[in-house]
Amino acid sequence: MDIIISIIYIILFIIMMIFVFSIGMLKQYMPKKEVLLVLGVAFLIGCIGGAFFLEPVYQDLPEVLSLVEKNMPNNEETLYLDVSSSVDINELIRTCEATEGFKSFKETSISIPMWKFDDTEKSYFEFVVGNIDSGYKSYNVTDSTIEIELKDNYSATSALKSFSDWYKLVYGGSISYAQVHSELVVDSSQLDTFEDILLQRGIVASDMEGPVQERINQTNSSMLSDIEFTLACGGVGVIVAILGIYIESVVPAYRRFKKSMNEKRKR
């Protein structure tokens, strides 16, 4: 949320609390039994103000606190990407490498969805996949997917091409879709820039590790739920109303206390 909008929302909530305070000050003109009504109204106004004005600001708290980690030198974030084979991986790598804050890009594995294997087909693939390409570090055949881990510095494009060529030779068809799993390491201060680059290509990190994500996770785990936060704001409204109700008795008492303290000092 924009900082100006956040400030406006906070000011609007303060204005609502001033209104609640003013209602409390009218207590001397009301019957005593109306005090509970005042407190009820104060709670309702606090809840409404919290839900509409403070909650959007509160939800942005993790991102605000993560700004500290983003501006710490030498902090790095690792983004785990699951990219469709239809995306130009080489173009993505070139763009990332040319962007300030780039650290590394590593293609770790590929997943190729197939049909539902029977036992014979599964056994066949388990036997043959390891012989297709020497760039395959390891592989796993599930009931309907072939997952291949790549050796270091071996590209997913080459791995997919070798499998596709073998598949076409054996089955006469082509592989229409596969998923490339990779790891992008960037400077924390440039995280937003790289997220924008990925988003422009329809890519969102499936997971992320680093100081920024850790701060976000820690903040999220300690935050109140939406209902709890709204009720807490209602409680603030009640406290403000009570201050308004008793302000006329508190201020004179404070003045008497201050006067007595001054007299003691003079002695």
Side-chain angles (χ1 to χ4, degrees):
M1 182 182 294
D2 187 88
I3 184 65
I4 296 178
I5 296 178
S6 298
I7 293 173
I8 291 174
Y9 279 1
I10 293 172
I11 291 174
L12 289 173
F13 182 79
I14 292 174
I15 292 174
M16 293 182 74
M17 292 301 99
I18 292 174
F19 175 70
V20 168
F21 184 82
S22 301
I23 293 176
M25 292 183 66
L26 296 176
K27 177 256 184 182
Q28 59 179 321
Y29 305 108
M30 303 178 186
K32 289 185 178 180
K33 62 182 180 180
E34 299 296 335
V35 172
L36 290 178
L37 177 61
V38 170
L39 296 179
V41 171
F43 179 79
L44 181 61
I45 293 176
C47 288
I48 294 173
F52 283 94
F53 299 129
L54 288 192
E55 188 173 333
V57 179
Y58 184 67
Q59 294 301 326
D60 282 346
L61 187 60
E63 290 294 334
V64 173
L65 294 179
S66 69
L67 290 176
V68 177
E69 299 296 342
K70 287 183 179 180
N71 290 286
M72 292 292 289
N74 302 320
N75 275 357
E76 295 180 354
E77 300 295 314
T78 301
L79 289 79
Y80 296 93
L81 310 178
D82 299 325
V83 184
S84 169
S85 57
S86 62
V87 174
D88 190 339
I89 302 293
N90 294 325
E91 185 275 333
L92 174 61
I93 294 174
R94 289 194 299 269
T95 301
C96 290
E97 288 177 337
T99 304
E100 181 183 357
F102 173 81
K103 298 296 183 181
S104 66
F105 191 103
K106 179 182 178 182
E107 296 167 294
T108 57
S109 63
I110 58 175
S111 296
I112 306 172
M114 307 291 281
W115 61 88
K116 181 73 173 179
F117 296 141
D118 58 31
D119 292 341
T120 302
E121 290 171 330
K122 184 176 180 181
S123 297
Y124 172 70
F125 277 106
E126 288 175 340
F127 170 75
V128 76
V129 171
N131 301 315
I132 295 175
D133 192 326
S134 60
Y136 298 171
K137 182 178 180 179
S138 63
Y139 63 94
N140 179 47
V141 180
T142 67
D143 290 339
S144 59
T145 304
I146 297 176
E147 300 172 352
I148 303 172
E149 185 179 356
L150 307 178
K151 290 183 177 179
D152 292 342
N153 301 318
Y154 193 67
S155 72
T157 301
S158 298
L160 285 170
K161 184 178 185 306
S162 62
F163 186 90
S164 181
D165 290 344
W166 169 85
Y167 184 83
K168 186 174 183 180
L169 180 65
V170 175
Y171 289 93
S174 60
I175 300 298
S176 59
Y177 175 81
Q179 197 171 57
V180 178
H181 308 289
S182 56
E183 299 175 5
L184 173 62
V185 181
V186 302
D187 192 307
S188 295
S189 63
Q190 300 298 321
L191 177 60
D192 292 342
T193 300
F194 284 93
E195 288 182 328
D196 287 340
I197 291 174
L198 296 173
L199 196 59
Q200 289 170 9
R201 292 159 178 77
I203 304 170
V204 177
S206 58
D207 196 9
M208 187 167 68
E209 292 181 356
V212 173
Q213 188 62 36
E214 288 178 6
R215 176 58 64 90
I216 291 175
N217 291 341
Q218 290 172 359
T219 305
N220 282 330
S221 64
S222 62
M223 291 177 67
L224 300 173
S225 67
D226 293 347
I227 294 177
E228 290 172 338
F229 182 76
T230 300
L231 294 177
C233 291
V236 171
V238 172
I239 293 172
V240 172
I242 291 174
L243 291 175
I245 290 172
Y246 294 102
I247 190 68
E248 291 194 358
S249 58
V250 171
V251 171
Y254 172 74
R255 288 174 179 172
R256 288 194 297 269
F257 173 76
K258 186 176 180 180
K259 182 178 179 181
S260 63
M261 292 298 294
N262 291 333
E263 290 176 351
K264 289 181 180 180
R265 291 195 188 101
K266 291 178 181 180
R267 294 174 186 172

